[in-house]
Amino acid sequence: MCSGDKMEMELSQEHRLFRDSLREFLAKEVEPIADERDRKGPLSKGEVLEFFAKFRKLGIGYDPESLSVYFEDPFYYGIASEEISRVWASLNVVLGMSFPVVFVNLASDQTKDAMMPKLEKNQLIGCLAATEPEAGSDTTKLKTTAELDGDEWVLNGTKTWISNATVADVALVVATNREMRMQDMFLVDQVNSPFETSELHKLGWRAAPTGEIYLRNCRVPKDNALSVMIQKALSSGGMVEALPIAASISKLYAYMSPLSAVFCLMRSGMALMATGISQAALDASIAYARQRKAFGKPIGKFQLIQDMLYKMAAITESSRLLGYKALYMIQKGDPKARYMSSLAKGYACEGCVEVTYNAIQIHGGLGLSDEYPLERYFRDARVMTIPDGTTEIQKLIVGRELLGKGFSAYT
């Protein structure tokens, strides 16, 4: 999709081959079971690992071999986010939110010894633990603390609405470093630093496990602080040598905090995830408008139906372009990646709510039936506007980025 400093509107041949292989897999292995399995609720750990094993055959995963391709070019990540979500959004959540496992290679010897064998087989599940019961959008008010005690950090706090919490082997926990009086992230693994979890249920993404994490005097090796891991990587030759990611992506850490850099990729992925849901709803609506008859003719001939389809198509195409534009900036290591990823996330996630709403309206009573995927698309879309920063927070980030320093709405 990218050539030099120009952003092309067409996928490269390699990207198309990857997308087509993924589509074939999803049509054969996932689409036939998505509706029925989603009704049963959160995937078990065994089910997640089965999907991870299948995705690895397509080159999708966080094991060192897959990662060197999957994140060397972030467009592969974007294509996967869109295509998987077009079929089953919950599955994309499970896969996408497992990304903290990539930091295992930079962690302490204890964590590497326990976790690397699983990671090398793409059988390691991760989660990002940021949100708290009294701190969601305002990440400056987190109460989880990390206090240094000898060669270990002692973590205390509660995290909530954490994707993959109940099945995760590794958690990247955002906490306040009491020594430095600043936020940091700490890699916690269930073998050396076990933590308790409980399950939460939600409107959409029903098959994606979500829960609370309880950290009670949880002891973590000193080397598992993300600031320490990044510094170690930089001093030993650079992030690229330590993690097989594009050199340009590592530049983001020079412009923004580690949490903001992580959110750039996550929010771009969320934008394309929303695009996938919108595309699924649009495709279903086009097919239905062609074959469903009312008043003696296909409903697709009615102007109001065509008006809805127009709006749905415009939102879907715009969301796709914004999402890939954000990934393009991330690939370049452009400091404006924060602005573009928030713009893409806010627009695409709000947009897919409108698209799925119209899709249900076009389908009438059938759109309300749980025998068809339209109601699942709508429920999944409605969740999209909240995780990884609500739409309101995205607007404030975009506003601050447009206006410059001194115009932050947070203060």
Side-chain angles (χ1 to χ4, degrees), residues 49-108:
L49 293 178
E50 284 182 15
F51 278 115
F52 276 21
K54 291 178 179 179
F55 278 127
R56 190 188 187 195
K57 295 178 181 178
L58 298 171
I60 298 173
Y62 299 101
D63 58 284
E65 183 178 353
S66 299
L67 192 66
S68 62
V69 176
Y70 194 43
F71 281 100
E72 176 66 26
D73 180 348
F75 288 102
Y76 287 113
Y77 167 76
I79 292 168
S81 293
E82 179 179 353
E83 295 298 329
I84 296 170
S85 301
R86 183 178 58 82
V87 175
W88 193 13
S90 289
L91 187 56
N92 187 63
V93 175
V94 172
L95 176 67
M97 291 309 301
S98 198
F99 77 90
V101 301
V102 302
F103 294 108
V104 165
N105 190 48
L106 301 178
S108 64

Side-chain angles (χ1 to χ4, degrees), residues 197-269:
T197 67
S198 63
E199 192 170 273
L200 295 172
H201 299 278
K202 54 198 182 300
L203 174 73
W205 299 5
R206 285 187 177 173
T210 303
E212 292 193 310
I213 292 178
Y214 309 101
L215 302 159
R216 301 186 178 102
N217 293 319
C218 185
R219 305 186 75 87
V220 179
K222 184 178 179 179
D223 288 347
N224 282 26
L226 185 62
S227 58
V228 174
M229 290 190 283
I230 290 176
Q231 185 58 45
K232 184 193 302 182
L234 294 174
S235 63
S236 63
M239 288 288 287
V240 181
E241 285 69 21
L243 294 174
I245 59 176
S248 53
I249 296 178
S250 65
K251 292 180 181 178
L252 295 178
Y253 290 94
Y255 302 123
M256 57 191 77
S257 69
L259 186 58
S260 293
V262 166
F263 271 138
C264 281
L265 193 60
M266 290 172 61
R267 287 168 178 163
S268 301

Side-chain angles (χ1 to χ4, degrees), residues 58-333:
L58 298 171
I60 298 173
Y62 299 101
D63 58 284
E65 183 178 353
S66 299
L67 192 66
S68 62
V69 176
Y70 194 43
F71 281 100
E72 176 66 26
D73 180 348
F75 288 102
Y76 287 113
Y77 167 76
I79 292 168
S81 293
E82 179 179 353
E83 295 298 329
I84 296 170
S85 301
R86 183 178 58 82
V87 175
W88 193 13
S90 289
L91 187 56
N92 187 63
V93 175
V94 172
L95 176 67
M97 291 309 301
S98 198
F99 77 90
V101 301
V102 302
F103 294 108
V104 165
N105 190 48
L106 301 178
S108 64
D109 290 339
Q110 301 100 300
T111 295
K112 284 193 285 189
D113 289 344
M115 299 290 114
M116 280 303 294
K118 291 183 178 180
L119 181 60
E120 288 171 352
K121 298 176 182 177
N122 199 42
Q123 293 287 281
L124 195 64
I125 305 171
C127 68
L128 175 65
T131 301
E132 296 183 359
E134 297 181 22
S137 297
D138 188 359
T139 57
T140 65
K141 298 296 190 294
L142 297 177
K143 293 185 177 180
T144 299
T145 59
E147 192 164 358
L148 195 60
D149 181 19
D151 291 331
E152 294 179 317
W153 294 100
V154 181
L155 273 59
N156 281 285
T158 300
K159 298 294 183 178
T160 192
W161 294 112
I162 308 303
S163 296
N164 287 356
T166 56
V167 296
D169 302 293
V170 171
L172 189 60
V173 178
V174 185
T176 300
N177 179 336
R178 281 189 168 179
E179 305 298 313
M180 305 295 293
R181 295 185 179 180
M182 61 181 289
Q183 282 186 5
D184 203 342
M185 290 188 273
F186 302 84
L187 198 66
V188 185
D189 76 77
Q190 278 281 34
V191 172
N192 295 294
S193 310
F195 51 86
E196 296 179 3
T197 67
S198 63
E199 192 170 273
L200 295 172
H201 299 278
K202 54 198 182 300
L203 174 73
W205 299 5
R206 285 187 177 173
T210 303
E212 292 193 310
I213 292 178
Y214 309 101
L215 302 159
R216 301 186 178 102
N217 293 319
C218 185
R219 305 186 75 87
V220 179
K222 184 178 179 179
D223 288 347
N224 282 26
L226 185 62
S227 58
V228 174
M229 290 190 283
I230 290 176
Q231 185 58 45
K232 184 193 302 182
L234 294 174
S235 63
S236 63
M239 288 288 287
V240 181
E241 285 69 21
L243 294 174
I245 59 176
S248 53
I249 296 178
S250 65
K251 292 180 181 178
L252 295 178
Y253 290 94
Y255 302 123
M256 57 191 77
S257 69
L259 186 58
S260 293
V262 166
F263 271 138
C264 281
L265 193 60
M266 290 172 61
R267 287 168 178 163
S268 301
M270 286 282 280
L272 289 164
M273 181 178 171
T275 302
I277 297 172
S278 292
Q279 188 66 59
L282 175 60
D283 289 344
S285 299
I286 292 170
Y288 189 73
R290 284 173 173 160
Q291 60 92 14
R292 168 66 165 152
K293 291 184 178 180
F295 304 101
K297 60 183 178 181
I299 64 171
K301 289 190 174 183
F302 293 114
Q303 291 182 7
L304 290 177
I305 296 295
Q306 291 188 10
D307 177 70
M308 283 190 280
L309 291 174
Y310 164 83
K311 292 175 181 177
M312 294 162 71
I315 289 170
T316 303
E317 294 293 348
S318 299
S319 298
R320 182 175 291 115
L321 290 172
L322 284 170
Y324 283 113
K325 178 68 178 293
L327 287 177
Y328 175 61
M329 287 186 167
I330 290 171
Q331 187 181 50
K332 290 175 61 182

